[in-house]
Amino acid sequence: MSKRSKRIVLKFGSGILASDQGIGLSRRQIARLAREVGALVRAGHECVIVSSGAVAAGLATLDLSAKPKELAAKQACAAVGQSQLMHAYASEFAKQDIAVAQLLLTHNDLDSRVRHHNARATLAHLLARGNVVPIINENDSVAVEELNFGDNDRLSAEVSILIDADLLIILTSVDGLQDGKGKVVPLVRDFSEVASLVRSDKGHTSTGGMVTKLQAAQLAVKAGIPVNIASGRKAGLVYAIVAGRRVGTYFPAK
């Protein structure tokens, strides 16, 4: 583990939080991820989670067998599932004597000078407490962009910039950006060199795919924040990334 305290944004995609069938949440996954983040907090790091998963959580409650295509139905799932998602996080972090705080944001919130300042001040106050992990999601019941396109990828980059993060970790259902032979590309310095590797395919629970993750990485890197894209299905990778080990695909800051 790095000795220097870091401010870290961790983005958890729907594909690593949902059950294998994509209906409902995987409490086992959330428990493990919460333990890994908790270890970072106890080591002195400041952690913010940008979490998807509300729609997947709501599907089971509304007795739906697949994610609906209609926007209003997706938003209804998110409205039902958001409280379940937060309850799952709150329960797991409470086992470590860590509190969670919910912030629902839209891109308009971050574009507005006043709301940008308020969000930044709120997060700074929460992180200063030392035992609180803010959990951010897009306000899916009123906003549409992440529901349709990004699975919170862009939002994670914007939050990283908002709080002057030292590192953005994007955890997904694959091991990182892959080349044409399916091997992980360990280091990316020039985004133009890997653009052709990015496919638009995505999991049945996610909405972004690698395209929006690469766009998010580019946004954060341009702002001076390094990014790591790695698998959220493998235990221990969060520790390894924060410790500086090469895991997944690393994008050094400009």
Side-chain angles (χ1 to χ4, degrees):
M1 192 82 64
S2 171
K3 294 182 179 180
R4 186 179 74 83
S5 293
K6 295 179 180 179
R7 181 169 284 185
I8 306 163
V9 173
L10 303 104
K11 188 266 177 174
F12 300 158
S14 302
I16 68 169
L17 296 176
S19 67
D20 292 340
Q21 295 75 32
I23 309 298
L25 298 171
S26 169
R27 289 299 296 262
R28 182 178 179 181
Q29 271 288 100
I30 292 176
R32 178 180 62 78
L33 292 167
R35 288 194 299 270
E36 295 190 10
V37 174
L40 295 179
V41 172
R42 289 190 295 276
H45 300 292
E46 297 177 339
C47 295
V48 174
I49 294 173
V50 176
S51 178
S52 301
V55 173
L59 289 174
T61 302
L62 296 180
D63 198 25
L64 297 175
S65 59
K67 184 165 69 174
K69 295 181 180 179
E70 299 82 4
L71 177 59
K74 291 180 186 177
Q75 291 177 311
C77 288
V80 170
Q82 181 63 30
S83 61
Q84 298 176 22
L85 179 66
M86 286 304 301
H87 181 266
Y89 279 123
S91 298
E92 295 304 331
F93 276 108
K95 297 174 183 177
Q96 306 175 73
D97 294 322
I98 296 173
V100 298
Q102 173 182 267
L103 285 84
L104 297 178
L105 299 176
T106 68
H107 297 292
N108 288 336
D109 292 328
L110 299 180
D111 287 340
S112 164
R113 183 174 180 178
V114 173
R115 285 177 287 181
H116 181 282
H117 172 77
N118 290 342
R120 180 183 174 94
T122 299
L123 285 165
H125 186 80
L126 291 169
L127 292 173
R129 302 292 299 177
N131 67 334
V132 178
V133 174
I135 299 178
I136 298 173
N137 195 355
E138 189 190 42
N139 194 352
D140 288 332
S141 62
V142 298
V144 301
E145 187 164 352
E146 299 292 359
L147 270 177
N148 287 331
F149 304 111
D151 200 36
N152 282 332
D153 291 322
R154 177 185 161 192
L155 186 62
S156 71
E158 293 178 338
V159 168
S160 299
I161 296 168
L162 175 72
I163 66 170
D164 297 321
D166 297 300
L167 176 65
L168 168 60
I169 300 174
I170 299 177
L171 295 184
T172 184
S173 54
V174 295
D175 292 330
L177 178 64
Q178 297 176 352
D179 63 19
K181 298 180 179 179
K183 295 183 62 176
V184 172
V185 178
L187 177 67
V188 175
R189 296 186 183 276
D190 187 342
F191 284 87
S192 65
E193 292 182 355
V194 297
S196 62
L197 301 177
V198 180
R199 303 184 299 272
S200 59
D201 56 324
K202 49 204 173 189
H204 58 283
T205 59
S206 58
T207 55
M210 192 56 68
V211 172
T212 55
K213 289 168 181 57
L214 195 64
Q215 291 170 346
Q218 191 167 15
L219 182 63
V221 163
K222 186 177 180 181
I225 302 167
V227 179
N228 229 114
I229 298 177
S231 172
R233 291 283 181 182
K234 296 180 179 179
L237 295 193
V238 170
Y239 310 130
I241 291 170
V242 175
R245 288 169 48 193
R246 287 291 171 84
V247 175
T249 302
Y250 179 67
F251 304 81
K254 296 292 185 183

